[in-house]
Amino acid sequence: MATVAFVSHGGGPMPVLGDPGHADLVVSFADLAKDLPKAPSVIVVVSAHWETRGIEVTGAANPELIYDYYGFPAASYQLQYPAPGQPELAEGLVQQLAKQGLPVTLNGKRGFDHGMFIPLMLLYPEANIPVVQVSLERNLDPALHWQLGEALTKSLPEDALLLGSGFNFHNMRAFFTPKTDGMLAQVNQFQTWMDQLVENTDLSPQEKATAWQGWSQVEGGRYCHPREEHLLPLVVCHGAAQGGAKTYLSQVMGVPARHYLWG
């Protein structure tokens, strides 16, 4: 089975620009990098920053970078990560996902967004491993994204890395407000639920999938994720791996951050 990991990628390009509020996150990326395979045959990234009608897969041989963030220093728009695509694998992946009942198409023009290149600049800075991106379905249905994870793990080479790139907390307004006891209580309530679910080795895959379908009813869930696009890459990864994950702890701007690694 492919190696599966989820990363909290931080605020735009700030993790690679030396931002003090991201220093602890950068350390946690270094810790995770030590445990990842050194040379996977391909890295398949499910990014919070690409939503489509149906699932899409990048098929270009040399995708350009998409600087899909705004208001950051000029250096943010000069970042480079010249990893190649993998068109042959992408075409095969589309075929395999379609056979498993997913609505999926190949996108031969789309580039790599910062949900891909920011974490990979920290994890695989040489940019010499082929990368394929997979979109989220814009309906943001947890059940469909769990199914996507299950389908990906059946379709990828065993020496691949499946990387979910999102954030365990994504309330943008809360990042820039005082970290009150009440605010942190909501964050910790949901984070505890998430950690326990992702680390669990006793629940069946179906029980885990069902738990994700009710995530928004968990105390603090909607506070942490007013919109769930940064949570769903984690659902995809959990659907792919299904076992218990190792957790990497850090914080960003006073808020707990998490990476998870399976297998």
Side-chain angles (χ1 to χ4, degrees):
M1 187 184 94
T3 302
V4 182
F6 169 83
V7 295
S8 293
H9 59 232
M14 300 309 285
V16 300
L17 296 180
D19 174 58
H22 285 74
D24 195 51
L25 184 72
V26 172
V27 171
S28 70
F29 268 106
D31 291 339
L32 173 62
K34 295 174 185 176
D35 294 336
L36 290 174
K38 301 305 179 187
S41 62
V42 65
I43 302 172
V44 176
V45 178
V46 180
S47 168
H49 293 279
W50 188 19
E51 297 176 36
T52 56
R53 189 176 301 280
I55 305 297
E56 294 188 11
V57 177
T58 57
N62 294 286
E64 297 181 352
L65 299 190
I66 303 171
Y67 301 104
D68 53 338
Y69 37 70
Y70 307 95
F72 290 96
S76 307
Y77 306 94
Q78 304 301 319
L79 296 172
Q80 298 297 317
Y81 192 79
Q86 180 57 278
E88 184 176 343
L89 182 138
E91 291 177 9
L93 187 57
V94 167
Q95 294 173 5
Q96 291 298 317
L97 295 180
K99 288 179 181 178
Q100 295 176 70
L102 288 163
V104 58
T105 56
L106 190 69
N107 186 326
K109 297 181 179 180
R110 211 259 184 185
F112 293 142
D113 61 61
H114 81 272
M116 172 275 197
F117 64 83
I118 295 299
L120 290 189
M121 288 178 72
L122 296 168
L123 296 173
Y124 293 96
E126 298 84 3
N128 58 358
I129 299 169
V131 179
V132 171
Q133 264 200 248
V134 178
S135 74
L136 300 176
E137 218 296 339
R138 64 177 60 171
N139 66 11
L140 305 182
D141 174 27
L144 176 64
H145 290 87
W146 181 275
Q147 180 188 357
L148 173 60
E150 290 183 319
L152 284 169
T153 200
K154 296 174 183 176
S155 306
L156 293 177
E158 289 189 1
D159 59 353
L161 169 61
L162 173 60
L163 184 72
S165 178
F167 212 131
N168 60 281
F169 176 88
H170 200 250
N171 183 328
M172 295 304 294
R173 180 177 297 179
F175 274 120
F176 300 98
T177 57
K179 306 304 185 288
T180 65
D181 290 344
M183 176 267 199
L184 292 175
Q186 290 195 72
V187 175
N188 290 330
Q189 188 82 7
F190 186 67
Q191 188 62 69
T192 297
W193 175 85
M194 187 187 304
D195 287 343
Q196 290 176 347
L197 178 60
V198 172
E199 295 169 358
N200 187 282
T201 58
D202 296 324
L203 294 175
S204 70
Q206 184 55 54
E207 288 172 320
K208 294 176 181 180
T210 299
W212 277 118
Q213 292 179 45
W215 74 268
S216 63
Q217 305 305 311
V218 177
E219 182 70 27
R222 273 297 174 201
Y223 181 79
C224 292
H225 293 278
R227 192 173 184 275
E228 54 264 46
E229 80 282 359
H230 275 71
L231 183 65
L232 286 176
L234 175 56
V235 178
V236 174
C237 288
H238 202 185
Q242 300 192 353
K246 178 180 179 180
T247 302
Y248 299 76
L249 308 177
S250 65
Q251 65 172 353
V252 173
M253 299 170 64
V255 176
R258 295 288 192 272
H259 311 311
Y260 300 107
L261 173 65
W262 293 264

